[in-house]
Amino acid sequence: MKTRAFTPARIGIYAFLVTAALFFLLPLYVMLVTSLKPMEEIRLGNIFALPLQFTLEPWREAWSGAC
């Protein structure tokens, strides 16, 4: 049975696939991380940072206001 060697073309395809996956998953990450931050942290402007204080209050407000 042959083992598949990592050719430059295969490495290029994998690099492209990983880059494309990150490109499409980045907005989901930002949305989830931002939804766990209090409004004061959101106003600081660092959307990629993890929350310093996790809160589920925005989720509670959204669910109570949606009904």
Side-chain angles (χ1 to χ4, degrees):
M1 189 175 211
K2 290 185 179 181
T3 60
R4 295 182 177 178
F6 284 105
T7 63
R10 185 177 299 262
I11 292 171
I13 290 172
Y14 286 146
F16 171 76
L17 291 173
V18 168
T19 303
L22 290 175
F23 177 77
F24 285 103
L25 290 175
L26 187 64
L28 179 63
Y29 168 78
V30 170
M31 181 184 68
L32 289 175
V33 168
T34 303
S35 74
L36 297 173
K37 292 180 183 180
M39 189 54 83
E40 295 79 27
E41 282 189 53
I42 294 171
R43 288 186 182 125
L44 293 176
N46 195 356
I47 63 172
F48 297 110
L50 289 174
L52 299 174
Q53 175 186 353
F54 286 91
T55 181
L56 294 176
E57 189 59 33
W59 286 88
R60 285 188 205 109
E61 286 182 34
W63 280 107
S64 66
C67 294

